[in-house]
């Protein structure tokens, strides 16, 4: 103790404090200059149209002029920086995306027609986007190579059209069909290998770019490697629930990606040895000799994409010593390691997210402290961040300390492409984003004036002030206890999530239940501690995936970012990022609000079996509705769900409708649901149910012990009219 005290006294002597102060000043000067340059650079792309382009002969017969914008608090350079700032996602090599052809034609895969088909948003070249990539597609550079990746904007930029006029909604939910897009990408890459003509053109185009590749052999090797990774991802995440447009089971896919990189060789060996033959629970599917041959030279601690793909190839191989498993056998093995992502939800809108106390549909993530950084890190893990996680022998590191691995023989080193600094900057950037206002509403904004001049000429877009007055009273009676009305421009606003038990809400249970019930193998996190609201928990060999994801994101967040940078710069970036998370975050730790079952020592994640009600400002621009996108319009949401015994001639929520069109219905507040060949949504299975949230309908539940009177149809229309003004 005396030695420690003497050392501290020496460290903080007047002389040493002077040198420490000088060192901090010296280090802060280049950091400050770098931040200033970054702020200036952020304003350089100010294309007045924000890169948006008109589309002719678009999907589902939708043509539209160059999209316009509404008053959302952002300038042109604010939008363009958001669209084009990388977060560390790496889907495939960048040169491959530029050169790849579509499977059934010589047209490029990145052609606007295909981008529009899957409801991403085509763009023209601008300063930040010289190759004219779609909104939310960006070049990511990592360890000397370039990749195409997704930004926040790919899934969180919306658009509504009306008779040829398009309105771009920053932070709004995308209409994207990511599953269809990735299936088409896999098919195009497979054919680029199988067809000699396509292969020759592909290799030639990649080499012409003179970027990451200098010879054909490397192009061929990487084409095979990355096609295998995309195929692996798609196979792992096959679901019996069709997502269609505007939905994704992001949590399920994030969970699976973490499990793929966490399971160790011994755990996988146990899984393979324990699989029995179909219909014969007494006979093992694989022999120990076959299992050992399949796992030969596989990493003891971290497996990851490429080694997993190698294991799958070996399991299905008919070469001597390998088991030559069928696809049915492979699916049974997959079910023991991964979880089916069968709970698709709408892409949440992002305005007010920085000001919210809890986020995600089930309130999983607290927004206090470094919560946003952890949440966004998990998101990048799900959208193809390169996870170069490795294991090293026992030593000291902050990630091993905070993830409880300090006494492990091997410890995970969390090297990855995830750009923590940009994630922090993007979160701060979203603080100034506000919800969109109805196009005919007044606002002191040039973009809003343009929209108002167009839509003021259309009677169906006019707001009836008498209906609004009556609707405001109905909102106070039926809605406001959960959906608080806020000032969308109040810089000090705190948006409180009102959590509601899934048994009370009555809406589809799949997402909430999966978040709690899904389990997986914990790898090196086995027997480590994790602190939850009810106390410390020990992560078991097979544990809730929410625990494993939390441990992985903690490891990522406490690792100095960007391995491409010199280590002092990495250290400074890390300190800046953490300090910014703590001191620039106005949200403090708080207890969840609402009517839900609290966590207990027996059920430490019970509070997640609930759904969040949030303020509805801008809700008009976010169809379809409910957390799983099962209701096409606000008016339909105010109708009851048909039950056995209900009269056939009544008005009920539709159980089948088309999804994919951006054509807006300003009367019901929703999107076009018929008359085109979109995805047919059917509310007939878990994950797709449109039940619950029947407040004000003829099946209205009791509120505070008092049975609600159902609204008349006239009152429904009054309430719809008021919601337009939020």
């Amino acid at each position: 103790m005396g030695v420690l005290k003497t050392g501290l006294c020496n460290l903080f002597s007047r002389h040493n404090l002077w040198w420490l102060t000088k060192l901090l000043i010296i280090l802060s000067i280049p950091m400050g200059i770098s931040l200033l340059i970054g702020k200036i650079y952020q304003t350089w792309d100010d294309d007045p149209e924000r890169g948006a382009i008109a589309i002719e002969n678009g999907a589902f017969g939708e043509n539209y002029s160059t999209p316009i914008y509404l008053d959302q608090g952002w300038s042109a350079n604010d939008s363009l920086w958001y669209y084009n700032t990388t977060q560390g996602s790496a889907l495939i090599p960048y040169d491959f995306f530029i050169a790849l052809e579509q499977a059934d034609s010589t047209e490029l895969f990145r052609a606007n027609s295909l981008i529009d088909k899957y409801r991403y948003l085509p763009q023209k070249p601008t300063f930040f986007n010289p190759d004219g990539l779609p909104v939310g597609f960006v070049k990511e550079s990592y360890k000397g190579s370039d990749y195409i990746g997704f930004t926040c904007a790919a899934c969180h930029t919306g658009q509504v059209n009306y008779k040829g006029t398009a309105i771009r909604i920053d932070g709004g939910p995308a209409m994207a069909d990511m599953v269809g897009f990735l299936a088409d990408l896999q098919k195009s890459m497979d054919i680029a290998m199988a067809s000699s003509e396509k292969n020759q053109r592909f290799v030639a185009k990649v080499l012409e770019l003179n970027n990451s590749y200098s010879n054909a052999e490397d192009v061929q090797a990487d084409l095979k490697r990355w096609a295998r990774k995309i195929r692996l991802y798609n196979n792992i995440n096959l679901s019996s629930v069709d997502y269609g447009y505007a939905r994704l089971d992001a949590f399920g896919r994030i969970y699976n990606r973490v499990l793929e990189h966490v399971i160790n060789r011994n755990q996988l060996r146990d899984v393979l040895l324990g699989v029995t033959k179909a219909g014969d629970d007494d006979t093992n599917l694989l022999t120990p000799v076959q299992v050992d041959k399949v796992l030969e030279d596989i990493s003891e601690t971290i497996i990851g994409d490429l080694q997993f793909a190698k294991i799958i190839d070996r399991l299905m191989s008919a070469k001597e010593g390998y088991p030559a498993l069928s696809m049915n056998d492979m699916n049974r093995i997959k079910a023991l390691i991964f979880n089916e992502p069968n709970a698709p939800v709408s892409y949440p809108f992002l305005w007010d997210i920085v000001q919210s106390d809890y986020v995600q549909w089930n309130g999983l993530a607290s927004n206090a402290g470094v919560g946003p950084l952890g949440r966004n890190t998990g998101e990048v893990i799900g959208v193809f961040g390169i996870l170069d996680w490795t294991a090293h022998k026992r030593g000291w590191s902050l990630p091993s300390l905070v993830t409880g691995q300090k006494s492990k023989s091997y410890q995970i080193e969390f090297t990855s492409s995830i750009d923590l600094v940009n994630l922090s900057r993007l979160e701060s950037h979203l603080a100034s984003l506000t919800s969109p206002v109805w196009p005919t509403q007044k606002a002191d904004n040039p973009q809003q004036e343009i929209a108002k001049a167009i839509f003021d000429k259309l009677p169906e877009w006019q707001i009836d002030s008498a209906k609004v007055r009556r609707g405001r009273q109905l909102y106070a009676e039926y809605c406001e206890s959960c959906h608080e009305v806020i000032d969308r421009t109040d810089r000090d606003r705190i948006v409180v999530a009102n959590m509601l038990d899934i048994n009370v809400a009555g809406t589809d249970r799949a997402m909430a239940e999966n978040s709690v019930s899904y389990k997986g193998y914990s790898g090196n996190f086995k027997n480590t501690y994790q602190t939850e609201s009810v106390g410390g928990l020990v992560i078991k060999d097979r544990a809730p995936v929410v625990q494993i994801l939390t441990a992985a994101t903690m490891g990522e967040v406490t690792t100095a970012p960007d391995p491409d940078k010199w280590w002092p710069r990495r250290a400074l970036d890390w300190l800046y990022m953490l300090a910014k998370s703590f001191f620039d975050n106005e949200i403090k730790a708080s207890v969840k609000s609402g009517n839900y079952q609290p966590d207990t020592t027996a059920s430490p994640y019970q509070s997640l079996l609930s759904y969040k009600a949030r303020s509805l400002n801008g809700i008009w621009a976010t169809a379809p509705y409910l957390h799983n996108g099962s209701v096409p319009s606000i008016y339909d949401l105010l109708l009851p769900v048909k039950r056995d015994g209900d009269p056939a001639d009544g008005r009920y929520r539709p159980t089948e409708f088309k999804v994919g069109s951006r054509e807006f219905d300003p009367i019901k507040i929703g999107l076009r649901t018929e008359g085109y060949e979109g995805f047919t949504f059917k509310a007939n299975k878990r994950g797709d149910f449109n039940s619950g949230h029947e407040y004000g309908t003829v099946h209205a539940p009791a509120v505070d012990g008092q049975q609600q009177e159902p609204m008349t149809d006239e009152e429904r229309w009054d309430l719809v009219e008021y919601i337009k003004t939020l």
Side-chain angles (χ1 to χ4, degrees), residues 350-357 367 430-433 490-496 587:
L350 295 190
W351 48 86
D352 301 330
I353 192 169
V354 176
Q355 295 84 8
S356 296
D357 60 348
N367 238 6
L430 287 167
S432 59
L433 179 69
D490 180 5
R491 295 184 63 86
D492 296 324
R493 66 190 182 279
I494 295 178
V495 182
V496 177
I587 301 299

Side-chain angles (χ1 to χ4, degrees), residues 174 231 381 673:
R231 192 181 311 116
I381 289 174
T673 59

Side-chain angles (χ1 to χ4, degrees), residues 302-417:
I302 300 294
I303 297 179
D305 292 325
L306 294 178
Q307 290 199 338
F308 241 109
K310 182 186 291 187
I311 291 166
I312 290 171
D313 287 347
R314 290 174 176 178
L315 286 169
M316 301 185 73
S317 173
K319 292 180 180 178
E320 184 178 355
Y322 293 117
L325 298 185
S326 68
M327 187 56 70
N328 285 338
D329 290 331
M330 293 299 298
N331 286 334
R332 292 171 61 239
I333 293 173
K334 181 179 75 172
L336 297 174
I337 302 171
F338 302 105
N339 299 283
E340 183 183 351
N342 57 9
V345 296
S346 297
Y347 300 101
F349 52 89
L350 295 190
W351 48 86
D352 301 330
I353 192 169
V354 176
Q355 295 84 8
S356 296
D357 60 348
Y358 286 87
V359 297
Q360 307 297 6
W361 289 112
N362 64 339
L364 173 67
S366 168
N367 238 6
V370 295
L373 200 56
R375 159 173 50 86
N376 291 321
T377 295
E379 178 255 331
V380 184
I381 289 174
V383 289
F384 314 106
I386 297 176
L387 307 179
D388 283 334
W389 296 352
T390 56
H392 56 77
K393 289 188 176 181
R394 183 187 303 170
W396 189 93
S397 69
L398 186 58
S400 65
L401 181 66
V402 300
T403 58
Q405 300 180 80
K406 63 180 180 178
S407 60
K408 294 277 186 178
S409 298
Y410 287 88
Q411 298 165 345
I412 299 175
E413 182 175 331
F414 295 90
T415 302
S416 75
S417 65

